[in-house]
Amino acid sequence: MQINHSAGKVSGRDFLIFLGLLLLIFCFLFYKSFDPKHVLFVNDGPLGAVKAEMNRPPATLAGNWQDLSWIGGKSVSAAPDISVLLTTIFPPEILLKLYAPFTLLLLGISVWICFRELAFHRWVCLIGGLAAALNMHMFSFSAWGLGGWIIAFSMAFLAIAVIVTRKISRLWIKGILAGTAIGIGLMEGFDVGAIVSIYVGIFGLFAGLAAEKISKSAILKTFSLMAVVVVFAALTAAHTITTLVGTQVTNIAIAQQDDKTKEQRWIWATQWSLPKIETLGLLIPGVFGYRMVTGESRFYEKSYWGSIAQSPGYAETKQGLSRFSGTGEYGGIFVLLVAVIAIAQSLRKQNSPFTAMEKKFVWFWAIVAFTALLLAWGRHAPFYQFLFALPYFSTFRNPLKFMHPFHISLLFLFGYGCEALVRRYLCDLSAKTNGARKLFPTASSFEKKWVVSTGVALAAAVLGWMVYASSKKTLVAHLIKFDFDKPDTGLPAQMAEFSIGEVGWFVLFFAASVILLTQILRGRFAGKIKLACGLIIALLIADLSHADVSWIVYHNYKEKYATNPVIDILRDKPYEHRVAFPGEFEVNNATTFFHRNVYYTEWLQHHFLYYNISSIDVSQEPREASDNAIYRAAFRKAGLPGLVRMWQLTNVRYLFGLADGFVDSINLQLDPAQKRFKLHTAFNISQDPQSGAYLIETNPAGTFALIEFTGALPRAKLFSQWQVVTNDQSVLEKLSDPAFDPQQTVLVSSEIPGREKTVSTNQIAGSVQIVSYHPKRVELSADVKAPSVLLLNDKYDADWKVFVNGEKKPLLRCNYIMRGVQLEPGNQKIEFRFEPPVNTLYVSLGALCVGIVVCAFVAFGKKRKSPKAEEG
């Protein structure tokens, strides 16, 4: 092969060209970010969540307490990573404009660097980085609000770049740099970062042990390198790992309920699996639709209609979760074809464009892609059950996450495929003379087989599209059978047309890819690498941008988060009360509509967070804490009276329901003696036809009502009567007993030094006021008339500390799950502080500093000439 190696050398100018191209593409795709009123819609981490005080760094670095959901709870601490840095620097409104394109830009740059260290041609580095930044799988998760996962993927590519580079000879430097990258990936991606890091570790071992001539010295160096990587990754992510284990692994109900059947746990763990038929999404981006716009009345023609996350038996019963909508799996038809070329070229015994080591790398990534796809099928195939049987994997939810290593492998295969095209058909000048006048360029059968097979596949694709288009009525009937029965709007027909159109776009891009690859294989572009790569870039941008653009959804945040009369009531001193929606009282379509579309979808997940309004309802709780599960179960067991008692104990002052007769009904059913439910404000709901925002108008004759429950305990209360009960089961039985009055007596689960177990007196306890309320710090002022227990109706955790007049006092666990403190008579200043251990934070910060210093040393230190790479 007549290849000009110097022409493919990567320079700083090439990087600037690549960076400029990506910036130009993202400016076009995310052009609405330049509009001051618009921010990206993100499902995970919307503006309300980012704006909420409980989620704002840097305070969350030293522990994270979620005070707005349920009665509070410990969450994973923020980590000193890239996302936290951005969240600290930028206000939420700016952050959501920049975060998604930034993470995708970082991914593209990381792939470009990785391909450069693999000694790929400069055009291959550019094309590979572009394919990564526009990969629909990565793009959809970033637009869905999971940019941390994209950063984790970026760190994986950087770690592999460090492992394979020839520019660094010292193993300890390689180990620190790769370990730092993997550690940042763990902090950003949590379990996703862990999955990806395992594959990076396996690659590191494979790269060191796959040489043709392996020696004891090479084996020792390989294991030493990976040991340093593992240790430094653990040190870098120490803060995240410890908080993850404490909040997501060891203290969750699913891990501790031994009586839960294996089948039930299997259903919970594998609900987010990829149905085998939906593997078609790798080839056809929108065949099953895209994200489902939140709110049933806002379904549109692109809505997802597949069955990822569909509850078993949903089709027959319509009970449970219907479908998922947060991911796209399209890799790009040209990307997939070139990945196949890489595998085929690696199997050639003669005239292969790859070295022996490169062949092994291609096989490695092909095996990773294949096995990851089998695991991603989850409950739809027999493979995931073997992984599920391993320790702690039963707490891992979402087999679909194995599509992450699949797409990472796909990008590597695409890179090797592009390198094969460049070496054999674009830079090899002999390909031009061999193929200029022939249908097939060489005597080899590879090109002939490729052209024939892709031609047959294209013909089959055209035929399949025609058959699918002629089956529109059947598809519409299928959509009507499920959740999209909207004959008045014609939604099923619109969705069917969109799906058929997406198959048509697939055929178009498939044809363009086949034609371009055929001409490359024929040698038409030999010696014309700029023209060929320019056409490849244009095809990639057109294909992947078409697939990605549907994931970009903006909203006018000033309209979406505009307040209304009901929100104004709830946000007035929100720390004095909580809110709940009694889902048990969905009596008609109106309450169902309000619960699902307004309360749960909009207010609970957006407005309540934006305005710091507390609710005992939880929007997402895949791993329920064991104490929460036990507490809730105790009151559910008591039926509707138990529900009222739980509202009373958890400071639920406001409920929602119908205005006409609902208050009288629940008073009659739940509180006939005291009638503590009162109509507070009646209102009507309408929807803006343009923005889709829900508009609230107060009206005495309104359909819906804000209901006040006057029997709720205040957030903070003094008790001169208390009882020490150290048996948790006895505490729960007593709390749910209708004869027990929680307004008069508080139950304490720990001994109070110097006090009797039961104190019963008619003395007035005094009064207490909340002076300042923040997620991790609550200040109160109390005028105590008699020895008392102060009950704060926020969740107990051992990491909370309490101080009275500046002096630390024992924290009490009250009413099974709340916190409190014993007070003596007098004017007292009480402060509750959430102070979990931060030793691991210092470990992570120290490891990061070391990694940054080493990186600077490598980048700016005196460079040594690296040994020439072996030819072949």
Side-chain angles (χ1 to χ4, degrees):
M1 293 187 293
Q2 304 172 25
I3 303 175
N4 183 0
H5 291 283
S6 61
K9 188 176 180 180
V10 183
S11 65
R13 180 171 173 270
D14 296 318
F15 175 75
L16 292 177
I17 292 173
F18 166 70
L19 183 62
L21 178 61
L22 266 189
L23 287 173
L24 185 64
I25 293 170
F26 286 142
C27 285
F28 175 76
L29 291 176
F30 295 96
Y31 71 95
K32 274 196 173 182
S33 287
F34 296 103
D35 185 341
K37 295 181 180 179
H38 282 82
V39 297
L40 273 168
F41 163 82
V42 291
N43 186 75
D44 292 32
L47 179 59
V50 179
K51 189 90 170 178
E53 184 184 359
M54 64 181 184
N55 293 326
R56 295 295 296 170
T60 49
L61 285 168
N64 193 356
W65 186 264
Q66 303 288 316
D67 68 307
L68 301 182
S69 182
W70 177 229
I71 52 174
K74 185 191 295 184
S75 183
V76 180
S77 299
D81 56 23
I82 297 172
S83 293
V84 167
L85 178 63
L86 295 174
T87 307
T88 304
I89 294 173
F90 296 105
E93 295 81 1
I94 302 298
L95 179 70
L96 290 190
K97 295 173 180 286
L98 302 176
Y99 190 52
F102 168 80
T103 59
L104 293 167
L105 183 69
L106 179 62
L107 177 64
I109 292 172
S110 300
V111 172
W112 186 93
I113 293 172
C114 185
F115 283 9
R116 181 193 65 181
E117 299 309 317
L118 287 168
F120 286 170
H121 193 280
R122 59 193 181 94
W123 281 104
V124 175
C125 295
L126 189 152
I127 293 170
L130 185 66
L134 295 178
N135 175 280
M136 190 220 244
H137 179 82
M138 316 296 188
F139 201 100
S140 63
F141 278 111
S142 185
W144 198 245
L146 295 168
W149 292 6
I150 313 305
I151 296 176
F153 305 151
S154 304
M155 295 300 107
F157 280 104
L158 290 178
I160 291 174
V162 171
I163 291 172
V164 301
T165 185
R166 293 176 176 270
K167 299 174 183 177
I168 303 174
S169 58
R170 293 184 177 90
L171 290 181
W172 66 272
I173 293 181
K174 275 194 173 188
I176 289 176
L177 292 179
T180 301
I182 292 175
I184 294 174
L186 288 168
M187 292 191 291
E188 292 279 1
F190 296 174
D191 55 344
V192 169
I195 292 172
V196 172
S197 67
I198 290 173
Y199 283 96
V200 174
I202 295 173
F203 172 81
L205 291 174
F206 179 84
L209 302 176
E212 291 186 9
K213 295 180 180 179
I214 191 70
S215 63
K216 291 182 179 181
S217 175
I219 295 174
L220 180 61
K221 287 182 178 179
T222 298
F223 280 96
S224 298
L225 170 62
M226 297 315 299
V228 175
V229 170
V230 170
V231 170
F232 219 80
L235 292 174
T236 304
H239 191 51
T240 297
I241 293 172
T242 53
T243 56
L244 268 176
V245 171
T247 60
Q248 305 295 312
V249 178
T250 60
N251 191 35
I252 63 172
I254 192 69
Q256 298 183 8
Q257 292 178 350
D258 296 331
D259 58 340
K260 203 173 187 69
T261 66
K262 186 177 180 180
E263 181 182 0
Q264 288 174 315
R265 188 174 295 188
W266 169 259
I267 292 173
W268 174 87
T270 61
Q271 192 163 350
W272 274 264
S273 300
L274 179 67
K276 291 191 288 293
I277 185 63
E278 294 191 41
T279 308
L280 279 174
L282 290 168
L283 297 171
I284 310 172
V287 63
F288 293 100
Y290 288 89
R291 82 160 76 226
M292 189 183 299
V293 174
T294 53
E296 184 180 356
S297 61
R298 296 172 64 190
F299 288 160
Y300 67 145
E301 71 276 6
K302 297 181 182 180
S303 295
Y304 174 74
W305 53 273
S307 57
I308 295 176
Q310 194 171 83
S311 300
Y314 179 85
E316 295 77 22
T317 64
K318 299 293 180 74
Q319 299 295 319
L321 186 65
S322 59
R323 58 191 81 251
F324 175 64
S325 57
T327 179
E329 300 303 337
Y330 185 59
I333 186 62
F334 185 83
V335 173
L336 288 166
L337 289 174
V338 173
V340 173
I341 286 178
I343 298 172
Q345 291 283 4
S346 71
L347 297 175
R348 296 183 68 163
K349 295 181 179 180
Q350 295 180 347
N351 299 322
S352 174
F354 298 129
T355 66
M357 193 65 179
E358 287 174 334
K359 286 183 178 181
K360 293 177 181 179
F361 283 171
V362 171
W363 299 338
F364 174 84
W365 292 116
I367 293 172
V368 169
F370 179 69
T371 55
L373 181 61
L374 297 182
L375 292 174
W377 286 343
R379 69 184 185 192
H380 304 291
F383 311 106
Y384 188 76
Q385 60 182 320
F386 301 106
L387 193 64
F388 178 80
L390 297 176
Y392 283 105
F393 267 92
S394 62
T395 65
F396 174 82
R397 194 183 192 192
N398 200 336
L400 194 63
K401 289 177 180 175
F402 281 95
M403 290 304 294
H404 305 326
F406 173 88
H407 280 275
I408 290 174
S409 303
L410 178 63
L411 289 171
F412 274 109
L413 292 173
F414 175 65
Y416 280 105
C418 287
E419 186 68 14
L421 294 178
V422 167
R423 292 178 183 177
R424 184 167 179 81
Y425 302 102
L426 298 180
C427 289
D428 184 4
L429 300 180
S430 64
K432 182 175 182 180
T433 58
N434 289 336
R437 295 183 177 85
K438 298 180 181 180
L439 180 60
F440 306 111
T442 67
S444 170
S445 63
F446 169 77
E447 291 82 6
K448 180 186 296 186
K449 290 179 180 178
W450 175 263
V451 173
V452 171
S453 60
T454 53
V456 171
L458 178 58
V462 173
L463 179 61
W465 175 52
M466 296 172 63
V467 172
Y468 189 54
S470 66
S471 304
K472 179 181 176 181
K473 290 184 178 179
T474 304
L475 179 58
V476 171
H478 172 77
L479 294 172
I480 291 176
K481 181 181 176 182
F482 285 85
D483 293 338
F484 304 101
D485 188 4
K486 307 283 183 184
D488 54 329
T489 61
L491 182 61
Q494 295 172 17
M495 293 172 64
E497 288 178 3
F498 177 77
S499 180
I500 293 169
E502 287 295 284
V503 178
W505 279 105
F506 154 73
V507 172
L508 175 64
F509 286 118
F510 188 18
S513 300
V514 168
I515 292 172
L516 179 56
L517 284 173
T518 298
Q519 295 306 310
I520 291 175
L521 295 179
R522 291 185 62 192
R524 290 289 189 182
F525 294 102
K528 302 177 182 178
I529 188 171
K530 291 183 179 179
L531 175 60
C533 291
L535 292 174
I536 291 173
I537 291 170
L539 179 58
L540 281 177
I541 294 174
D543 184 13
L544 295 175
S545 296
H546 162 78
D548 291 338
V549 71
S550 294
W551 293 99
I552 304 174
V553 178
Y554 281 90
H555 62 247
N556 185 323
Y557 76 89
K558 294 188 176 181
E559 291 180 356
K560 182 176 181 64
Y561 287 95
T563 187
N564 59 63
V566 175
I567 294 295
D568 287 339
I569 294 169
L570 299 179
R571 70 177 176 140
D572 180 29
K573 296 183 179 179
Y575 50 82
E576 292 186 350
H577 54 258
R578 290 190 173 94
V579 186
F581 188 98
E584 293 80 1
F585 296 94
E586 283 190 12
V587 295
N588 56 27
N589 291 335
T591 51
T592 300
F593 165 81
F594 174 65
H595 183 200
R596 297 182 181 179
N597 301 324
V598 182
Y599 178 80
Y600 178 82
T601 302
E602 293 296 326
W603 289 0
L604 187 62
Q605 301 188 54
H606 296 278
H607 292 75
F608 285 6
L609 300 175
Y610 193 83
Y611 293 105
N612 282 309
I613 297 171
S614 301
S615 172
I616 67 164
D617 298 317
V618 183
S619 61
Q620 294 184 22
E621 194 177 25
R623 294 174 178 85
E624 185 182 20
S626 56
D627 53 355
N628 289 342
I630 295 170
Y631 185 78
R632 292 164 179 162
F635 295 104
R636 282 197 296 265
K637 185 179 179 181
L640 292 178
L643 180 63
V644 177
R645 175 55 61 86
M646 188 173 72
W647 291 339
Q648 182 180 29
L649 294 170
T650 55
N651 181 228
V652 175
R653 183 178 167 192
Y654 292 111
L655 304 165
F656 289 99
L658 293 175
D660 186 15
F662 182 69
V663 172
D664 293 336
S665 175
I666 60 175
N667 270 325
L668 181 63
Q669 293 183 60
L670 305 180
D671 200 25
Q674 302 180 63
K675 293 183 170 55
R676 291 170 293 178
F677 294 96
K678 312 291 183 183
L679 176 63
H680 188 284
T681 303
F683 59 93
N684 282 322
I685 301 174
S686 60
Q687 191 171 16
D688 188 310
Q690 298 297 325
S691 65
Y694 292 102
L695 308 177
I696 306 299
E697 180 185 24
T698 56
N699 188 334
T703 303
F704 304 99
L706 179 65
I707 301 163
E708 185 175 5
F709 177 41
T710 60
L713 287 175
R715 184 65 65 92
K717 180 177 173 63
L718 290 175
F719 288 85
S720 61
Q721 298 183 163
W722 68 84
Q723 184 177 354
V724 175
V725 183
T726 56
N727 183 280
D728 285 343
Q729 185 61 36
S730 299
V731 171
L732 292 172
E733 290 175 358
K734 199 171 188 65
L735 288 174
S736 57
D737 185 352
F740 175 74
D741 187 359
Q743 294 281 5
Q744 299 299 321
T745 305
V746 62
L747 304 181
V748 181
S749 296
S750 51
E751 299 286 349
I752 301 178
R755 294 293 178 182
E756 299 291 332
K757 286 190 175 183
T758 301
V759 175
S760 180
T761 175
N762 292 325
Q763 290 181 282
I764 298 175
S767 60
V768 60
Q769 291 182 334
I770 296 176
V771 177
S772 174
Y773 191 98
H774 298 279
K776 296 170 57 179
R777 190 184 73 258
V778 181
E779 298 178 11
L780 307 99
S781 176
D783 181 11
V784 186
K785 302 298 185 183
S788 303
V789 169
L790 168 62
L791 169 68
L792 181 64
N793 281 307
D794 286 345
K795 188 177 178 182
Y796 171 91
D797 188 277
D799 287 333
W800 278 93
K801 308 296 185 290
V802 60
F803 300 84
V804 179
N805 296 327
E807 183 181 353
K808 187 176 180 180
K809 295 292 184 180
L811 181 70
L812 303 179
R813 181 161 63 94
C814 301
N815 288 348
Y816 179 80
I817 204 169
M818 306 299 182
R819 57 182 182 263
V821 63
Q822 199 272 323
L823 300 177
E824 297 298 332
N827 293 321
Q828 312 283 10
K829 293 184 182 297
I830 306 98
E831 184 177 11
F832 290 89
R833 302 179 199 160
F834 183 61
E835 297 179 346
V838 292
N839 295 336
T840 53
L841 174 61
Y842 299 138
V843 172
S844 293
L845 287 172
L848 274 174
C849 289
V850 172
I852 292 171
V853 169
V854 172
C855 185
F857 170 77
V858 172
F860 303 108
K862 186 176 181 181
K863 299 187 180 298
R864 298 170 57 190
K865 292 184 178 181
S866 58
K868 293 183 178 181
E870 295 182 8
E871 292 294 333

